[in-house]
Amino acid sequence: MASPSSVLCEDQLQCSICLDVFTDPVSTPCGHNFCMICLKQYWDSSSHSQCPVCKKDFLKRPELHVNTFISGLAALFKKQLLPKPKKVLCDSCTEEKLEAVKSCLRCGVSFCNAHLMIHKSTPKLMGHKLMEPVENLEDYICQKHERPMELFCRDCQMCVCQFCTEGDHKTHNTVPVVVESAKNKTGLLPMQSEVQEMIQDRLRKIREIKYSVALDEKITEKADVVEIFSALMRCIERSQAELFTVMEEKQKAAERQAEKFIKDLEQEITELKRRNTELEQLSKAEDHIYFLKIYPSLCILPHTQDWLDFRINSHLSVVTQIRIKLQEMFSMEVCRINPMKLKEFQQYAVDVTLNPDTANPFLIVSDGGKQVTRGNDRQNLPDNPERFDRCVCVLGKEGFSSGRFYYEVQVRGNTEWDLGVARGTANRKGEIIACPENGYWCLSLRNKTELSACDSPHVPLSLNQAPQKVGVFVDYEKGLVSFNDVEAMSHIYSFTSQNFMEKLYPVFSLCLNHDSKYSAPLIICRVNQP
């Protein structure tokens, strides 16, 4: 008959949520098993009860009961993982050697119960230092003086005997090994907590990656995309198959990326679990000399990656591609907004003024802070941290970290400009690529007519003519930045589903590529309130 160790493996007894061996395992009606607390937390964080593995929906949350059979197997498996102490045999037995119960540091040998009696009954031997049986007794005896190492030298970080303190370690700071061991054991607790927290962080990151990939899969489901196409089927049937292919490729790329990072995270979790087990065993060690020898090597955390800012690449660019197709084929049909929509934006008009301390030295800001002009010569201005040094930009004074705001800028007479909002901590030095990843949400005009949105990648926009006055509307909570042609009362472009975490400032730019006769000031206009 096969032994339990030959049939049990961690994969079979692993919760797919926490990726650890089951604790209080429960089964769903579809037959999948999870830790009770893991499944409850998963359902509590969702709007409906669903199996985390097969995604089967349950109309009513199933009542959970611990699966005693699987619980027993998990307990047996955990028991098998515990290290088995190696038996130490009695050095005095001549025939069948019995298991030792004590080791004598003075004699340098180990004794079973029978042979230990002489140490308990002979006065001369009763003063010998006895300890739990160990195999390598020489490690506990000073090789120079052949005496038990009962002291620890803090200056040399090593165990010594009493005679050592009368010689080489005479002036050193020495304490009993019991004292030093107890002191260092208290230092294990913060490290154990840190290792356990690192394990939980990586488990959370794995769940986040899996959720992110599952969310991408939902976003790119064909049924959802067909619904988008159905409203304008006559115009976009020819592009539907092409976009599905792109979407499927992006989903596969996301899954491959997720698999790689999950593998890396699982490897780190395995290493951290091993270290946690070692720390736990070390904290319970009664062998003080062994503890002090092993302690320094376990005080250093295993090398791991910093996963704090890691994110799975977003694949919403497919939606952006759909939007580009729609704008190319019938921009006037789908992007025109009625006067009521523009009036709704204008209700959130704010007073924007330019901040000269941020202006590139080639820009001239008017006294009232409502206009900015490009000059021919570089002004001698202090290079403070807030100032743009290469890109010809200037920010507004006012920052916004909540709610909605709207402002209008006259761009008439300019062949090249950039408008939008920027994150307060976005880079202002050197060359800057305007895009959401770098903290810029902008509209850009080049060569009089080449209008584009500074997305990733840039999105070319097809309009009958370049706008003369641009309205910029921001809904901070919704993550929306919308650009509108005020005079034509039409929508130009919107950044949607952005994640704003800090103050946003209006940003304005006039390029240096052309003669100043082609440049007019950018003027912040007074908004006509509805």
Side-chain angles (χ1 to χ4, degrees), residues 283-411:
S283 67
K284 298 176 181 178
E286 297 181 0
D287 186 337
H288 305 300
I289 294 178
Y290 172 79
F291 172 85
L292 293 171
K293 286 190 174 185
I294 299 300
Y295 174 78
S297 64
L298 295 184
C299 285
I300 303 174
L301 290 174
H303 175 71
T304 57
Q305 297 186 51
D306 183 7
W307 297 94
L308 182 62
D309 295 325
F310 169 77
R311 295 288 186 277
I312 286 290
N313 293 334
S314 174
H315 299 293
L316 295 179
S317 56
V318 173
V319 178
T320 302
Q321 292 185 37
I322 296 175
R323 184 166 57 243
I324 295 171
K325 290 286 185 181
L326 297 177
Q327 288 172 333
E328 287 177 349
M329 291 184 288
F330 43 88
S331 59
M332 294 303 296
E333 180 180 346
V334 295
C335 295
R336 181 173 298 278
I337 62 172
N338 57 41
M340 292 301 295
K341 189 66 175 176
L342 185 58
K343 288 180 180 180
E344 179 185 339
F345 290 163
Q346 291 172 336
Q347 291 177 358
Y348 301 98
V350 294
D351 183 21
V352 174
T353 54
L354 301 171
N355 183 357
D357 291 337
T358 66
N360 178 280
F362 279 97
L363 292 179
I364 302 170
V365 177
S366 66
D367 291 339
K370 295 296 183 180
Q371 298 185 27
V372 58
T373 308
R374 184 176 70 240
N376 290 326
D377 301 318
R378 183 184 181 90
Q379 302 173 82
N380 185 18
L381 298 174
D383 186 20
N384 50 289
E386 296 84 10
R387 192 179 305 281
F388 290 90
D389 60 353
R390 294 286 297 277
C391 289
V392 192
C393 299
V394 60
L395 296 182
K397 283 185 179 180
E398 300 80 9
F400 303 89
S401 57
S402 64
R404 303 169 182 174
F405 63 94
Y406 173 83
Y407 63 94
E408 294 178 353
V409 183
Q410 180 177 299
V411 296

Side-chain angles (χ1 to χ4, degrees), residues 513-527:
N513 296 338
H514 295 288
D515 193 279
S516 60
K517 68 181 181 180
Y518 294 108
S519 176
L522 294 179
I523 303 173
I524 300 172
C525 303
R526 183 175 183 275
V527 177

Side-chain angles (χ1 to χ4, degrees), residues 43-59:
W43 282 346
D44 290 343
S45 63
S46 176
S47 60
H48 57 286
S49 300
Q50 183 186 68
C51 174
V53 175
C54 67
K55 307 303 180 185
K56 179 179 178 58
D57 289 314
F58 306 114
L59 296 178

Side-chain angles (χ1 to χ4, degrees), residues 239-296:
S239 63
Q240 186 173 351
E242 175 188 344
L243 285 171
F244 282 153
T245 301
V246 172
M247 290 154 53
E248 290 171 354
E249 290 175 353
K250 286 183 177 291
Q251 176 61 29
K252 290 177 181 177
E255 292 172 349
R256 288 194 298 268
Q257 186 185 36
E259 288 175 359
K260 178 183 181 301
F261 285 112
I262 288 175
K263 182 178 180 181
D264 292 343
L265 284 162
E266 289 176 340
Q267 289 176 348
E268 289 191 6
I269 290 171
T270 300
E271 178 62 21
L272 289 167
K273 284 182 178 179
R274 183 187 65 79
R275 177 57 58 85
N276 189 51
T277 300
E278 292 173 345
L279 290 170
E280 184 175 353
Q281 292 173 357
L282 189 62
S283 67
K284 298 176 181 178
E286 297 181 0
D287 186 337
H288 305 300
I289 294 178
Y290 172 79
F291 172 85
L292 293 171
K293 286 190 174 185
I294 299 300
Y295 174 78

Side-chain angles (χ1 to χ4, degrees), residues 22-27 33-36 65-68 70-72 74:
F22 290 123
T23 299
D24 294 333
V26 294
S27 302
N33 303 305
F34 309 92
C35 298
M36 179 181 285
H65 300 281
V66 174
N67 188 317
T68 55
I70 298 178
S71 181

